[in-house]
Amino acid sequence: MGREGRVGRAEPGWIRAACLASVMVLFLAGSPTVAAQSVLDRRAGLSVRSAPLSDALRQLQRSANVSLAYSPDLLPPGRIVSCVCEDLTVRQALERLLRGTDLTALASGTQVRLVPDRNRREREGGTLMGRVLDEEGRPVVNAMVQVSGGPGALSDDQGRFVVRGVAPGIHDLTGTSIGWRAASEETVTIVAADTTLVTLRMVRAPVPLPEVLVAPGTFGVLEDVSPGVVRSLTREEIQTLPQLGEDIFRAVQRLPGVASDDVSTRLVVRGGPDRELMVLLDGLELYEPYHLKDWDGVLGIVDLNALGGVELIAGGFGADRGDRLSGVFDMTSRTSTGEARTTVGLSISNVTAMSRGGFAGDRGAWLLSGRRGFVDLVMDLVGESDRLSPRYYDVFGKLQYQVSTDHVVSAHVLRAGDAFVLADAPFQGADTLDFVSGWTSSYGWVTWDATPGSMLRARSMAWVGRLSRERTGFLVDLNEAPLRSSVDDDRAFGFGGLRHDLSVELGAGALLRVGAEVKRMRADFAYADQTWTPFVTSENTRGVWVDSTSVDVERSGYEASGYLAFRARPEERLTAEVGLRYDRMSHTREQDVSPRVLAALEVSPTTTARGSWGVYRQSQGVHELEVGDGQTAYHPAERGEQVALGLERRLGRGLDLRVEAYQRMVADRNPVYVNAEEELEVFPEAAGDRRRIDPGRGRARGIEVVLERRTGGPWTWTASYVLAVAEEELEGGWVPTRFDQRHSVGFFASYRPDRRWNVSLGWRYHTGWPATSWTYSVETLGDGWNHWTREYGPFRGARLPSYHRLDLRVSRSFDVQGNELHAFLDLFNVYDRLNLGSFAYDGTYENGVLSVTRVPGRELLPFLPTF
């Protein structure tokens, strides 16, 4: 007895094998090739005087009989060139024509490609320096100053900005900022290796009502976020900060108020479990958006490369979003125009590919992204695929077309699947294990966006989808209770729906938004399990109790909802929104009304305050019956009330401060089934530590402080501290939730000495999570057998040791024949901290004396180098 297996100890073996396979793939892919004679050495035969650059390039194609491939967007507008180059080569002629731009010529077979040359920009570029001021000469802070077709920079607390590496020539300059009219300066002349001074004057203007951010607790990720949303993580930061799997769910774990363990990508937002977070992709709700869900969901089903922007709303969302208690995770896919672009990626876990571009004169756009995990292939190479074989894939496609200036239609598909085979692996110390599972997720939806007038916007969406799950196997562990368990689980969930949203501007100071949605759903459950559990008979001998569960049901229903939200600006710097939402669920026979209020106040040009109050509800989904625990009827909806306040202030010198405070109270908490030992289980519903808890109420409250520096110099960094409590009421007392972490600290820094190299580190700390302790008791039976049982202490009455971890990434980019290659080395858990996801206990019984010792249980990420 006392043989306590560790899930975490099984992981490094296959991760190391995956690393080895990645080395082999990269080695084979890096074989040198022999270059043929370049088409750039042909005679140019070109003679042009005072011609537009585009005309000169077309004439060069004819005179030299070469094919030039380039995007017209890359050519400086209005550029006039001269080149008497009849006896020069194509290479020499292009050098003259492209002088002063940041373009270079690369030969690819019989074709010549014109692509940006960052080295030339650094060699020949000039510097633009100046200030952004208002009409009275006061500095405008955080204005984006953009050079036409080139780089940009943000103004600091004195209104100053510096843009380096600007291509020599004549440029237009624009300055933009929320709450200001765009300013422009035409015909700014940039000279190579010189500095040009300029002053931009901006005029105050009210922010259009639809663009005002009123929801506190909103964090932006990537580039495509709503106006007014501060980007907490840029694409460059995600690419250069250390992370496993290049996954968007893992990336946002760095945000304050978000908790998750090292294995799972499931997000706990401000104390609310992942099921309380609504996940959207291009407006459509995704159910169970994780790969390898039987391994606690190690990856999301949407490739990071396919995303253009993400917004996490944790501080109270408006009436247009419903049926969730904690927050919204809103993902938007990329939209591309121009020539096709392709990206290929390789990591220790998967290979990815994405292609996107435009068509029909850029009236249309398309994107296709695919990802395939190859851990199962690595296991096959090392002869372990019969014991451990996790595999997954996902495909996302989008086609968008602008029918007219007022109408855009788009079609989307998402398909994801995974399978997991685990047999006789060192899982939980099992004697025999045979486990196979498979999941598939399919979504298809179309949207129609219309702007028939400057004051009217509408969006309609229709969708269908299906999720399926198959899980079967058996587990034998003679040192556990039950001794043996077997499960056969087959379920499917189909759904479809329609949604329409309408936004009407009622003049300059009022906005009305209305919307309605209806969904039809059906779920089929076919579940059976059997367990063999030892017990002591009345004759003081050992017996085995055989128990079984069998459920075969189908459930269907519809959800109908509608909302009304009115936004107004009663005063120049104050914007408020009042909303009301109605929800009706046929499968729970419930209907509810949820009022919500949000407001934003511009305290000063550098300070904005936001607040929200609202009632939020969450019903049990048609597909969420816990049939493995014998549940066949739905619970009533949970209802919560949340208040949130936020303050954002620009401190100057590139420093930004953000403070958020929140409180959420939830009534009528539904019963849930949990495993007291918090281990990863292949059959959690059949484990001996399974228990039902019936919380009466729940509450979460906290304060988040974030200080960051993102502008100026090679250094950027973010520091955060969170003081939070998340609890639920059990038997008259308050008990911490699974991921309650009283104190959390995060620090992330990045150093970029030049455009090629980047060094980043991330350090995280939080209070240890709650845990349930236990001990053993032993009874010697009449036949001489020792009967072991476990006796559990107070539920979540203990705590794990504090968690902290330091990660490091060194990355470098390479120019490879007009393409870009990004390579990185990650060192996770640099000082090899032993972080725990659970406790375990060893017991020994000798000479009638029982000794119980607490030992590490599920171990989280060890020291791990990857690339």
Side-chain angles (χ1 to χ4, degrees), residues 8 12 91 121 154 161 187 193 252 266 330 349 507 509 552 601 674 691 706 720 731 782 804 839 857:
R91 177 184 284 105
R121 175 177 290 179
L154 287 172
F161 66 90
T187 64
V252 300
R266 299 177 183 271
D330 192 356
S349 57
D552 189 357
L601 174 65
V674 300
R691 62 170 60 182
V706 183
S720 64
E731 299 178 355
H804 52 89
F839 282 133

Side-chain angles (χ1 to χ4, degrees), residues 330-374:
D330 192 356
M331 299 180 288
T332 304
S333 63
R334 280 178 159 178
T335 297
S336 181
T337 57
E339 62 181 5
R341 280 158 284 181
T342 301
T343 303
V344 178
L346 177 69
S347 73
I348 67 167
S349 57
N350 57 58
V351 59
T352 65
M354 181 185 67
S355 187
R356 58 193 178 106
F359 63 94
D362 282 345
R363 293 180 63 183
W366 55 272
L367 181 148
L368 182 62
S369 170
R371 180 171 53 167
R372 207 287 192 186
F374 56 62

Side-chain angles (χ1 to χ4, degrees), residues 827-845:
L827 300 176
F828 294 101
N829 199 357
V830 172
Y831 48 80
D832 200 18
R833 163 75 175 181
L834 176 61
N835 291 308
L836 298 180
S838 67
F839 282 133
Y841 295 83
D842 278 340
T844 58
Y845 186 66

Side-chain angles (χ1 to χ4, degrees), residues 452-526:
S454 60
M455 312 292 281
L456 183 64
R457 299 174 185 173
R459 162 172 278 200
S460 299
M461 184 167 68
W463 66 91
V464 294
R466 178 179 173 84
L467 275 65
S468 64
R469 173 186 185 182
E470 296 179 0
R471 188 172 57 119
T472 185
F474 64 89
L475 172 68
V476 177
D477 190 342
L478 300 179
N479 293 293
E480 294 289 336
L483 304 173
R484 174 187 171 101
S485 55
S486 65
V487 170
D488 188 358
D489 186 8
D490 188 359
R491 63 184 71 186
F493 173 50
F495 52 90
L498 298 169
R499 178 184 174 98
H500 183 72
D501 298 275
L502 182 66
S503 174
V504 183
E505 293 187 50
L506 307 175
L511 172 70
L512 179 67
R513 294 186 299 128
V514 296
E517 178 181 86
V518 60
K519 294 186 286 187
R520 181 71 181 179
M521 299 156 295
R522 170 175 171 159
D524 298 291
F525 304 90

Side-chain angles (χ1 to χ4, degrees), residues 46 67 84-85 174 206 235 287 330-331 371 409 435 444 471 711 818 832 853:
L46 174 68
S67 174
V84 181
C85 314
T174 59
R235 187 177 300 276
Y287 304 94
D330 192 356
M331 299 180 288
R371 180 171 53 167
V409 295
F435 175 78
R471 188 172 57 119
T711 58
D832 200 18
T853 305

Side-chain angles (χ1 to χ4, degrees), residues 215-219 269 277 311-317 321 326-330:
T218 302
F219 300 88
V269 178
L277 181 70
E311 294 179 21
L312 174 62
I313 309 173
F317 41 94
R321 310 285 176 83
S326 296
V328 177
F329 190 72
D330 192 356

